[in-house]
């Protein structure tokens, strides 16, 4: 489990994670939001002067199928509570929290990274992350799901876990052993250092790999940098209690066997690879420009001193 330690200075500079996932299966370019400066004490809840009417615009999106489409594995009653009440509350409360603040107008992904604040969590984080997590969770399932992936994704699973069956065992273990509320994830991880003053020399495809991670409460891999979420399961008790009571292992098993949308997972994986390749090409181009600029500089001519006048 990776948790980032709170920083101690009064001012924290956050470099948002590059290439964050965007609904439903893609990633956004982080260049549009750059680096954020948060004064940790002074700007936690700054509101702009103005009317009290809530104008923040995050919307509750429905699952990509009818609420009864996953029955009998996941009941319509579960969706009515889980999506209709819990997910709705996260979105509504987030809009109230950010309305009139510096976060108003940011994307959901930006809000998550900013309010995570390197582990020194700001008030809007839990609602922002839970709104994103649930939308990602609905997209991770489909009627008639389950089975196994194919193509490059399956090959990488077999390379990084030993076999598809061993991946399933690891995913089940992560989901079943997450103490209390939280999430289990399959993510694509870059082997890069998330620091500003270090080189990242590893460039081969072998340096990138699939990993299974688990997170407590609302935390998701977006906050760690260079993690690309591909699949998640919600192990908060409200996700399964109406259908499975306290039998979390049974819920996990039917999720894997009958609900996972490997089409969505594969689409996210392919998009992640494309975004990484685009970024690496851009980094290489900039590096070549810098080298060309350095070598093209003309060295000044040096004349030896002469004894003669």
């Amino acid at each position: 489990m990776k948790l980032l330690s709170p920083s101690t200075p009064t001012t924290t500079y956050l470099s948002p994670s590059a290439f964050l996932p965007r609904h439903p299966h893609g990633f956004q370019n982080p260049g549009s939001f750059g680096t954020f400066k948060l004064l940790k004490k002074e700007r936690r809840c700054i509101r702009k002067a103005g009317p009290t009417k809530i104008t923040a615009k995050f919307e509750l999106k429905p699952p990509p199928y009818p609420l009864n489409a996953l029955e009998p594995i996941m009941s319509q009653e579960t969706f009515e509570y889980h999506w209709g009440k819990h997910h709705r509350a996260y979105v509504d409360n987030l809009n109230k929290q950010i309305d009139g603040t510096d976060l108003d107008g940011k994307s959901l992904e930006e809000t998550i990274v900013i309010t995570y604040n390197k582990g020194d969590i700001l008030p809007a984080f839990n609602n922002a992350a839970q709104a994103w997590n649930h939308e990602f969770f609905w997209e991770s399932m489909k009627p008639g799901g389950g089975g196994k992936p194919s193509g490059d994704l399956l090959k990488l699973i077999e390379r990084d876990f030993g076999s598809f069956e061993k991946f399933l065992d690891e995913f089940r273990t992560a989901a079943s052993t997450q103490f209390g509320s939280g999430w289990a994830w399959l993510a694509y991880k870059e082997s890069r250092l998330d620091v500003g003053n270090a080189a990242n020399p590893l460039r081969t495809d072998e340096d990138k790999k699939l990993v299974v991670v688990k997170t407590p409460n609302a935390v998701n891999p977006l906050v760690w940098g260079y993690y690309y979420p591909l699949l998640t399961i919600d192990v908060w008790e409200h996700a399964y209690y109406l259908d499975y009571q306290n039998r979390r292992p049974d819920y996990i098993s039917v999720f894997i066997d009958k609900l996972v949308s490997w089409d969505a997972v594969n689409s996210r994986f392919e998009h992640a690879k494309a975004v990484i390749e685009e970024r690496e090409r851009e980094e290489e181009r900039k590096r070549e420009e810098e080298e060309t600029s350095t070598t093209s500089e003309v060295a000044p001519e040096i004349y030896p001193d002469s004894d003669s006048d």
Side-chain angles (χ1 to χ4, degrees), residues 7-257:
S7 53
T8 54
T10 57
T11 301
T12 300
Y13 292 87
L14 301 181
S15 295
S17 264
F19 311 101
L20 301 181
R22 181 187 291 280
H23 175 85
H25 308 309
F27 294 78
Q28 72 175 15
N29 189 322
S32 60
F33 54 89
T35 300
F36 294 95
K37 180 180 179 181
L38 292 177
L39 302 181
K40 295 198 298 186
K41 299 298 183 184
E42 293 80 1
R43 294 181 64 186
R44 284 177 185 257
C45 298
I46 291 180
R47 290 191 177 275
K48 304 169 187 175
T52 58
K53 181 180 178 181
I54 304 300
T55 59
K57 298 297 184 183
F58 288 122
E59 297 179 357
L60 176 68
K61 296 180 182 178
Y65 35 74
L67 298 188
N68 64 354
L70 302 186
E71 288 189 328
I73 304 161
M74 189 174 289
S75 67
Q76 179 171 337
E77 185 181 14
T78 287
F79 270 97
E80 288 171 350
Y81 278 95
H82 195 180
W83 172 75
K85 295 185 181 294
H86 290 279
H87 191 178
R88 183 183 301 278
Y90 296 133
V91 174
D92 290 346
N93 289 334
L94 174 62
N95 283 330
K96 293 174 184 177
Q97 284 179 308
I98 68 172
D99 186 62
T101 72
D102 292 341
L103 295 172
D104 199 346
K106 304 294 185 188
S107 72
L108 187 54
E109 295 88 352
E110 291 173 283
T111 302
I112 290 168
V113 174
I114 294 168
T115 57
Y116 184 70
N117 198 25
K118 297 291 187 182
D120 188 12
I121 291 175
L122 304 181
F125 172 76
N126 286 326
N127 284 311
Q130 284 291 76
W132 191 94
N133 293 348
H134 281 83
E135 189 174 325
F136 194 83
F137 177 54
W138 310 138
E139 292 284 347
S140 293
M141 299 183 289
K142 70 174 185 178
K148 64 192 301 185
S150 59
D152 290 341
L153 178 58
L154 179 59
K155 291 178 182 177
L156 199 60
I157 288 174
E158 292 172 341
R159 187 198 76 179
D160 292 338
F161 297 98
S163 68
F164 180 67
E165 289 69 27
K166 289 181 179 178
F167 154 71
L168 294 182
D169 289 342
E170 188 167 336
F171 190 83
R172 282 193 183 95
T173 298
S176 61
T177 59
Q178 170 54 45
F179 183 77
S181 302
W183 304 78
W185 307 80
L186 172 66
Y188 188 47
K189 180 182 182 297
E190 279 191 87
S191 293
R192 294 173 64 93
L193 301 174
D194 191 17
V195 291
N197 62 347
N200 288 283
L202 302 179
R203 306 289 294 186
T204 67
D205 288 339
E206 287 73 16
D207 298 321
K208 308 178 186 76
K209 65 179 182 179
L210 297 172
V211 294
V212 168
V213 294
K214 57 184 178 180
T215 59
N217 301 317
V219 176
N220 64 43
L222 300 185
V223 303
W224 296 337
Y226 305 112
Y227 281 75
Y228 303 75
L230 304 180
L231 172 68
T232 194
I233 181 173
D234 185 350
V235 293
W236 284 63
E237 197 169 68
H238 64 241
Y240 58 88
Y241 196 83
L242 288 177
D243 296 324
Y244 299 94
Q245 288 76 52
N246 64 341
R247 304 192 311 275
R248 186 193 285 189
D250 292 349
Y251 158 68
I252 296 167
S253 292
V254 296
F255 172 84
I256 291 172
D257 294 340

Side-chain angles (χ1 to χ4, degrees), residues 286-303:
K286 290 181 179 179
R287 185 161 39 250
E288 291 175 354
E289 286 182 354
E290 291 173 358
E291 292 174 355
T292 301
S293 176
T294 300
T295 56
S296 63
E297 292 179 1
V298 179
E301 295 185 26
I302 301 176
Y303 298 94

